[in-house]
Amino acid sequence: MNVSEFFPMWEKLTPPQRRRLEESAAWRQAPAGTILRRGGDDCLGLLLVAKGQLRASLLSPEGREITIYRLFPRDICLFSASCMMRSIQFDITIEVEKDAGFYLIPAPIYQGLMEESAQLANYTNEIMATRFSEVMWLMEQVMWRRFDQRLAAFLLEESRLEGAKALRLTHEKIAAHLGTAREVVTRMLRYFQSEGMVRLARGTVELTDPAGLEALAEP
């Protein structure tokens, strides 16, 4: 996947601008489990995902995690270059969930190009608006939706992403995604199992009644 494929306004950039984007983009690969950026680390740069899957999360002062969004091929991560946005103080951690390949564009170069190109600046603002919408949606889920509904929706989403009903997920990992305690996850999964919706084994959650989970997950 070329750098040009990440920018729908590519043809509206000048040849020198395109060349600066292409020449500054450094190709990187990282295996699953790699932490690309942890909390308040230095600015990583603009991250363009070509393959694999990444996870962006927040960590509370008490050490509790919550997933705020995921990144898939063709996605752009702006929060990895948060130094471009002085008014944003999110300490976001970015982790590789599935072996990934991506481009990194240094923040100063990208910021300079945004100042030159209104089209690039507008596209960047659209991406930022989308990410903030995802964060606001997450806040609504945490504040107003019951945990059993959130857990059912999460398991269904994982099943769709993996293309399987048997998910290799620990209770601790689920808790990190959903921003709660492992004990809360364990208690609810056992309830799901008693209702015949899942089957639990060590490090595995198997969806035995996806239709039941779908009905539960409905808002």
Side-chain angles (χ1 to χ4, degrees):
M1 186 179 294
N2 298 322
V3 171
S4 61
E5 297 179 60
F6 290 90
F7 301 99
M9 85 304 297
W10 186 258
E11 295 303 321
K12 295 182 180 179
L13 299 176
T14 66
Q17 289 168 344
R18 293 181 213 161
R19 190 159 52 249
R20 280 162 63 192
L21 274 175
E22 289 178 324
E23 292 177 352
S24 66
W27 175 253
R28 298 285 185 269
Q29 297 188 79
T34 302
I35 302 296
L36 299 178
R37 184 179 191 269
R38 189 184 299 278
D41 287 353
D42 291 340
C43 198
L44 180 66
L46 193 77
L47 197 153
L48 316 177
V49 184
K51 62 180 181 179
Q53 181 176 308
L54 309 181
R55 168 181 175 250
S57 63
L58 288 173
L59 187 67
S60 74
E62 296 78 23
R64 184 170 294 175
E65 281 185 80
I66 188 168
T67 299
I68 56 171
Y69 60 80
R70 279 163 156 163
L71 295 158
F72 303 97
R74 295 185 183 276
D75 278 343
I76 295 177
C77 184
L78 292 174
F79 287 127
S80 58
S82 57
C83 54
M84 293 193 304
M85 302 160 282
R86 299 296 182 186
S87 59
I88 296 177
Q89 299 299 322
F90 289 165
D91 287 341
I92 290 178
T93 294
I94 301 171
E95 176 188 2
V96 179
E97 284 195 306
K98 294 181 180 178
D99 295 353
F102 50 91
Y103 294 99
L104 278 178
I105 298 176
I109 290 177
Y110 192 80
Q111 188 169 22
L113 286 167
M114 281 199 300
E115 292 170 358
E116 294 177 14
S117 169
Q119 291 89 348
L120 184 61
N122 289 339
Y123 180 58
T124 305
N125 289 335
E126 288 175 13
I127 296 172
M128 181 61 67
T130 299
R131 293 296 175 222
F132 273 118
S133 294
E134 291 171 350
V135 173
M136 291 301 297
W137 178 86
L138 174 64
M139 288 177 61
E140 290 177 356
Q141 299 300 300
V142 173
M143 292 173 64
W144 309 121
R145 206 171 181 194
R146 298 196 318 263
F147 181 70
D148 59 343
Q149 294 176 316
R150 292 177 58 217
L151 178 57
F154 171 77
L155 293 174
L156 290 166
E157 179 188 12
E158 287 296 302
S159 180
R160 285 190 286 268
L161 287 175
E162 299 299 327
K165 292 182 179 179
L167 307 173
R168 296 187 60 81
L169 280 171
T170 65
H171 297 191
E172 185 174 3
K173 189 69 173 176
I174 296 172
H177 276 291
L178 297 179
T180 189
R182 179 181 57 79
E183 294 78 8
V184 175
V185 172
T186 298
R187 197 157 52 240
M188 191 59 69
L189 284 174
R190 286 174 178 168
Y191 168 72
F192 284 3
Q193 182 170 246
S194 72
E195 294 293 307
M197 291 185 285
V198 303
R199 183 182 297 115
L200 305 177
R202 187 175 182 82
T204 304
V205 180
E206 182 182 356
L207 279 57
T208 52
D209 182 12
L213 290 171
E214 288 275 10
L216 179 60
E218 284 297 318

